Amino acid sequence: MNILFAASEGLPYVKSGGLADVVGSLPSKIKTRSVDVSVIMPLYQKVIDLNLDNFEYVRTIRVNQGMFDEEARIFSHTNGSITTYFVENRQYFERDGLYGYHDDGARFAFFQLAVMNFILNHDEDFDLVHCHDWHTGMIPVLGKTLFKWHNRISHIKYVYTIHNLAFQGNFPTSVLTDVFGLTMDLIYDNSVNFDDGMSFMKGGIFYADKVTTVSESYAHEILTPEFGERMDGVLRLREPDLIGIVNGIDTKMWNPKKDPLLVSNYDIKTLEAKAPNKLALQKALGLKEDADIPLFGMVTRLTDQKGVNLLIDIMEDIMRLDLQVVVLGSGNSHYEDRLSYLSYLFPENVSFSNGYNENLAHQIYAGSDFFLMPSKFEPCGISQLISMRYATLPVVHETGGLRDTVTSYNVYTDEGTGVSFSHFSQHDLYDAIERALGVYGDKKYMLKLQTNAMNEKVDWLESARVYRDLYRSL
C-alpha cells in the first residue's frame, strides 16, 4: 500500500502549530514493509532558507486547470525513512509567512491542483491520499470530480483529518468556479457551499472516504452545535465514517534523558535531576531563583481558544499564592500587551516571552512543575503529552483530547497524571491551581504523580496501528 500525506506544513521543515508535529512524526510510525508513506507540502521560503543537504529536483509538472496554466517544479528531501516532496511556486509560497494572505484561496487551490498533477506524473501509483486540515480539503473533491477519469487517480481512496475545525478555509464561490475550474453544481448539491461562499474543509468532510479527528472526545464534541463550528450538520451526515484517533508525540525528539537543550537530563529513575532545569529557567528569565517556589509553564498561541483570557484575568489573584508563571507564545495583541504588563508588575514571578523559541520551549517543559492548558476546546493537544513526558504535571480543562489524555489525580488511589477542571471559568481554573499547589506541598505524592505521568504512553505506536487498520479497511 502506498500512502501520500498532503499537508500545508510539517516538521522538521516548517511549523506554525500542532499540525506540523503530527505530519513530522506520524508517517514514520505508520510505515512498515507493506505500507509506504511519503509527504507533499508547499516549498515555502522558510524551507528554502534551511539550505538542506540532498535537496533534490524531481521533475517539472504543469498545472493547467482552472485559472492556472503554469509549471511547478517538484523537489524532494528524505529525512530518516520518509521522503517529503515540495511544490515550488515563487509567487505563492516564497513569502515570509505561511498563512493569512488575501489570496490564500488561490495559493492553496494551486497547491492542491499541483498535488493531483504530481500524482498523475509520479513514478509509482498511490493507493490513498491522507489530507490534513482545510489547506488540502479540496483534494478528495478534485479526485472525485475533475480528475476522476484518470486511471492513476480513479482508484485512490481519501482520508481527511480535522486537526482544528475552527479553521475552515472559507472563500467566495469564485474560488470554486474561477480558480479551481469546478462547476456550481457543487454549491447546488450542498457539498461545498458555506454561507454565501464555499468551504475547503466542508468539501473534505463531504467527499473523503473516511473522516478522522485527533481524539475520541473531539470526534463526539464536533457533532454538536457548541463545538461544531457550524459544520455539525455535515459531520452528523458523515458520522458513520467519522473516527477519533488520538495524537502522539515523537518520543525521540521529546526525551528528557537525552534532550540536548536541557542543563540537566533526567528520566523516571533520576527525577531529582529535573530540579536544576527549574533554577536555570528562573535565572534565564530573570525570575526569583528559588527551587521551592511552584512554577507553572505555558507554551501556546495567545488566542481565546487556549483559555489565555482566564489565566490573565486571575493572574493578580494567583500571585497571592506565592507561585511563578512562565508564558511563551504570540497571537492576540491584546493578550500580548496584558501579559507584558503583568510581567512588569510581577518581575520576580511572571515572565512573558513573545513569539516562539524552540530552545526555551524545551526548557519550560523541563523546568516547570505544572503546565497550564485551560483551553476552551482542544481537538487533541500536543503540549500536555510533552509535559507528561517531562514529568511536568498538566493542569487542563476537561475538553477534547485533554479529557482523553490527562487523568485527574485521585488522592485515595494514587492514580492520576495531572489536575483537571470541568467548567471553563476563572473560578474553576483558580481552584485547579490551588489544588495543584496542594499536590506540590506533598513531595511524596507529587513524585508519585510525576512517575505516573512519565509512565503514560504518549508515543504513536497504538494510534499508528489504528491508522493502518483504517487504511486497509478502504
Side-chain angles (χ1 to χ4, degrees):
M1 179 177 284
N2 196 7
I3 312 295
L4 178 67
F5 269 49
S8 60
E9 60 182 80
L11 290 173
Y13 306 106
V14 64
K15 173 180 176 175
S16 72
L19 170 62
D21 294 284
V22 174
V23 174
S25 57
L26 178 56
S28 64
K29 309 307 178 186
I30 290 176
K31 186 171 182 175
T32 65
R33 289 182 180 179
S34 61
V35 180
D36 196 16
V37 186
S38 52
V39 179
I40 189 166
M41 68 178 65
L43 179 58
Y44 298 108
Q45 184 62 48
K46 292 179 183 295
V47 179
I48 296 171
D49 291 344
L50 294 175
N51 294 315
L52 296 166
D53 292 332
N54 303 316
F55 193 75
E56 299 180 355
Y57 168 77
V58 177
R59 65 171 47 84
T60 298
I61 61 172
R62 188 157 204 91
V63 178
N64 58 356
Q65 294 84 21
M67 76 174 197
F68 306 105
D69 187 11
E70 55 188 292
E71 293 182 337
R73 291 194 298 172
I74 305 296
F75 295 85
S76 72
H77 183 262
T78 299
N79 180 55
S81 64
I82 301 299
T83 297
T84 297
Y85 297 96
F86 297 91
V87 176
E88 181 191 56
N89 184 296
R90 294 179 178 177
Q91 175 187 354
Y92 287 141
F93 303 130
E94 293 184 19
R95 304 180 183 185
D96 292 336
L98 307 188
Y99 319 123
Y101 294 96
H102 73 281
D103 59 346
D104 274 356
R107 296 173 69 225
F108 288 99
F110 178 86
F111 171 63
Q112 292 171 93
L113 287 166
V115 170
M116 302 309 293
N117 284 282
F118 166 79
I119 293 170
L120 285 177
N121 290 276
H122 192 55
D123 294 337
E124 300 176 348
D125 286 338
F126 290 102
D127 300 298
L128 185 146
V129 180
H130 190 158
C131 307
H132 296 266
D133 265 353
W134 72 261
H135 322 84
T136 59
M138 291 296 288
I139 288 176
V141 182
L142 293 169
K144 295 184 178 183
T145 57
L146 199 61
F147 289 83
K148 69 178 180 179
W149 306 115
H150 293 276
N151 59 10
R152 299 198 69 187
I153 288 179
S154 59
H155 67 284
I156 291 177
K157 302 296 184 182
Y158 301 90
V159 172
Y160 180 63
T161 294
I162 301 166
H163 293 265
N164 192 330
L165 191 61
F167 301 99
Q168 300 173 343
N170 299 329
F171 300 101
T173 54
S174 59
V175 172
L176 179 73
T177 55
D178 299 345
V179 179
F180 278 109
L182 295 167
T183 70
M184 286 294 288
D185 290 343
L186 297 176
I187 297 293
Y188 302 143
D189 69 9
N190 202 33
S191 59
V192 303
N193 65 301
F194 196 80
D195 290 338
D196 295 328
M198 57 89 64
S199 170
F200 285 27
M201 177 167 280
K202 185 178 179 182
I205 295 169
F206 196 92
Y207 272 86
D209 296 285
K210 292 288 183 180
V211 180
T212 77
T213 190
V214 288
S215 69
E216 291 183 18
S217 287
Y218 192 60
H220 293 296
E221 289 173 351
I222 60 178
L223 299 174
T224 68
E226 181 181 2
F227 293 98
E229 301 287 349
R230 299 170 62 222
M231 290 281 182
D232 51 294
V234 68
L235 285 163
R236 286 193 297 271
L237 181 69
R238 296 304 313 275
E239 185 175 3
D241 297 308
L242 175 64
I243 180 173
I245 306 174
V246 72
N247 282 341
I249 60 171
D250 184 339
T251 53
K252 290 184 178 179
M253 174 182 175
W254 296 105
N255 182 359
K257 186 177 182 179
K258 297 182 179 180
D259 191 333
L261 301 177
L262 307 186
V263 299
S264 177
N265 293 111
Y266 58 97
D267 61 17
I268 198 167
K269 296 179 179 179
T270 58
L271 272 170
E272 67 279 0
K274 176 177 165 68
N277 294 294
K278 180 177 182 176
L279 292 170
L281 181 64
Q282 291 170 328
K283 182 176 182 179
L285 297 176
L287 299 174
K288 179 182 178 182
E289 295 176 45
D290 183 350
D292 294 326
I293 190 169
L295 195 157
F296 290 74
M298 193 174 192
V299 179
T300 187
R301 298 193 315 273
L302 302 180
T303 65
D304 292 342
Q305 177 208 333
K306 296 298 183 179
V308 180
N309 54 314
L310 296 188
L311 176 63
I312 290 173
D313 289 343
I314 65 169
M315 188 76 84
E316 293 190 42
D317 293 328
I318 63 175
M319 285 297 102
R320 301 187 185 100
L321 301 176
D322 191 25
L323 53 81
Q324 293 176 330
V325 177
V326 172
V327 180
L328 169 64
S330 62
N332 185 307
S333 59
H334 175 63
Y335 294 151
E336 292 175 352
D337 292 343
R338 291 189 67 186
L339 285 167
S340 295
Y341 179 65
L342 287 164
S343 64
Y344 168 77
L345 281 182
F346 305 101
E348 291 191 333
N349 292 77
V350 178
S351 170
F352 169 56
S353 300
N354 196 339
Y356 182 77
N357 181 301
E358 187 72 19
N359 291 6
L360 180 56
H362 282 246
Q363 292 155 15
I364 291 172
Y365 285 118
S368 302
D369 300 298
F370 299 94
F371 194 89
L372 292 167
M373 290 190 73
S375 304
K376 186 175 184 179
F377 66 92
E378 193 64 65
C380 180
I382 297 291
S383 292
Q384 82 279 13
L385 305 178
I386 299 171
S387 71
M388 289 190 290
R389 175 81 165 151
Y390 280 64
T392 297
L393 302 183
V395 179
V396 304
H397 175 217
E398 295 170 7
T399 184
L402 300 178
R403 178 189 290 116
D404 292 350
T405 57
V406 178
T407 304
S408 194
Y409 72 95
N410 185 321
V411 294
Y412 302 106
T413 64
D414 283 348
E415 295 175 317
T417 57
V419 181
S420 68
F421 60 99
S422 57
H423 298 291
F424 184 74
S425 68
Q426 298 169 22
H427 175 273
D428 275 33
L429 175 58
Y430 184 92
D431 176 71
I433 291 172
E434 277 196 318
R435 287 186 283 122
L437 295 177
V439 170
Y440 186 79
D442 185 336
K443 297 303 180 186
K444 183 177 179 181
Y445 190 52
M446 179 75 176
L447 180 61
K448 172 60 179 173
L449 295 189
Q450 288 178 310
T451 302
N452 292 349
M454 292 195 82
N455 275 325
E456 278 293 290
K457 297 295 184 183
V458 296
D459 60 24
W460 278 108
L461 185 63
E462 176 60 20
S463 294
R465 182 194 63 77
V466 176
Y467 275 115
R468 282 193 297 270
D469 289 346
L470 177 66
Y471 297 159
R472 290 176 178 131
S473 74
L474 298 174

